[in-house]
């Protein structure tokens, strides 16, 4: 009768022939359990309680116990029922309507538990997805903070260079005024010392040094952006040769400078001060790349 009743509510019955088999069958796959008083008496209350404790949090297997009203005495099935809890007790003689209602109620309870299980699994997946999104957003924020710090660092560097440029421009401007006085004085000395040839050479050296200092101040003013760029046509081969002494002095004794110039070179439109700075940087980089010494070659040629 029980098997037919279970099949009528779309349940597949499994008959346990021993207390051990009944205890082992109480797992997550079980929809409900029906046990008689005699069967519960043969079960170990301790083992049965331990088996039910292994259920996940969402699970509480409904158990229907069938017993005689005058047989629930201490030491019998009552001892097992007290250890388990959550038991639906139906006394014999059984009425099919009562048993059917109990089975349907237990089935609905188990289905609700499995819905809770599914919701918990879905919530777990959503939690994992949320954590992944949080990690992605955290990484994106970390990247934004890093980029912002880089921008702030670049801004601070730009401000520092701006301050340095203003200072350099002020110093170069004042120094250029002093050099103009020296150049004017040397020109005057050249005029008044025509009858003293011995003085012409030292005066010419002073004049060249002053002119070289004036070019340096122009470079400083260009760096400070207080001197407008003067674009002119430059014969690059001739200008490189004129800078050879300054470039060799920048290289030191361990690095030799070799200059190669081609024929029929085209004119280059550039700012002379900027060109000198670029050439000086080139040879200094070459020197730094050869700590043990060597030869730096500066070649000038047309490239079509």
């Amino acid at each position: 009768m029980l098997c037919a009743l279970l099949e009528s509510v779309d349940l597949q019955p499994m008959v346990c022939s021993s207390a051990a088999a009944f205890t082992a069958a109480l797992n997550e796959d079980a929809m409900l359990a029906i046990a008689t008083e005699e069967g519960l008496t043969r079960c170990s209350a301790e083992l049965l309680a331990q088996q039910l404790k292994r259920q996940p949090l969402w699970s509480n297997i409904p158990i229907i116990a069938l017993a005689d009203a005058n047989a629930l005495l201490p030491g019998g099935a009552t001892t097992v029922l007290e250890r388990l809890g959550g038991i639906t007790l139906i006394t014999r003689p059984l009425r099919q309507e009562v048993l059917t209602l109990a089975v349907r109620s237990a089935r609905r309870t188990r289905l609700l538990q499995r819905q809770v299980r599914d919701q918990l699994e879905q919530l777990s997946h959503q939690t994992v997805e949320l954590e992944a999104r949080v990690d992605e957003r955290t990484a994106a924020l970390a990247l934004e903070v890093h980029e912002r710090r880089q921008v702030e660092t670049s801004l601070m560097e730009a401000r520092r260079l701006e301050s340095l440029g203003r200072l350099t421009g002020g110093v170069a401007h004042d120094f250029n005024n002093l050099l103009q006085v020296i150049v004017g004085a040397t020109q005057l000395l050249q005029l008044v010392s025509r009858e003293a040839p011995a003085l012409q050479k030292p005066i010419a050296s002073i004049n060249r040094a002053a002119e070289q200092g004036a070019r340096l101040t122009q470079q400083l003013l260009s760096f400070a952006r207080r001197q407008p760029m003067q674009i002119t046509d430059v014969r690059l081969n001739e200008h490189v040769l004129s800078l050879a002494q300054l470039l060799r002095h920048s290289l030191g004794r361990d690095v030799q400078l070799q200059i190669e110039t081609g024929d029929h070179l085209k004119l280059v439109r550039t700012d002379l001060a900027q060109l000198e700075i670029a050439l000086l940087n080139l040879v200094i980089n070459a020197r730094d790349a050869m700590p043990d010494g060597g030869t730096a070659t500066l070649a000038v040629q047309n490239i079509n």
Side-chain angles (χ1 to χ4, degrees), residues 22 30 38 45 68 93 95 109 121 127 131 143 155 173 178 180 190 199 206 234 256 266 279:
F22 177 77
E38 297 79 10
D68 294 334
R95 292 181 56 186
T109 300
E121 291 179 353
T127 301
E131 290 177 351
L143 180 59
L155 181 59
H173 182 74
L178 296 176
Q180 294 300 322
Q190 287 176 341
L199 297 177
I206 295 173
V234 178
Q256 303 298 320
K266 298 178 181 179
L279 294 175

Side-chain angles (χ1 to χ4, degrees), residues 71-89:
L72 296 176
L73 301 176
T78 305
T79 304
V80 179
L81 296 178
E82 290 176 349
R83 294 292 303 273
L84 300 181
I87 301 295
T88 300
L89 180 63

Side-chain angles (χ1 to χ4, degrees), residues 199-210:
L199 297 177
Q200 293 296 320
K201 187 175 181 180
I203 293 174
S205 298
I206 295 173
N207 191 41
R208 285 195 302 271

Side-chain angles (χ1 to χ4, degrees), residues 51-113:
Q51 176 70 7
L52 294 176
K53 286 182 179 180
R54 296 189 184 98
Q55 299 178 93
L57 294 177
W58 61 267
S59 177
N60 186 16
I61 300 175
I63 300 177
I64 300 174
L66 308 178
D68 294 334
N70 58 356
L72 296 176
L73 301 176
T78 305
T79 304
V80 179
L81 296 178
E82 290 176 349
R83 294 292 303 273
L84 300 181
I87 301 295
T88 300
L89 180 63
I90 301 178
T91 58
R92 292 180 289 200
L94 300 175
R95 292 181 56 186
Q96 185 174 358
E97 296 82 0
V98 175
L99 184 58
T100 301
L101 289 175
V103 170
R104 291 182 182 276
S105 177
R107 181 176 180 274
R108 285 195 298 269
T109 300
R110 192 59 170 171
L111 290 176
L112 288 175
Q113 293 177 9

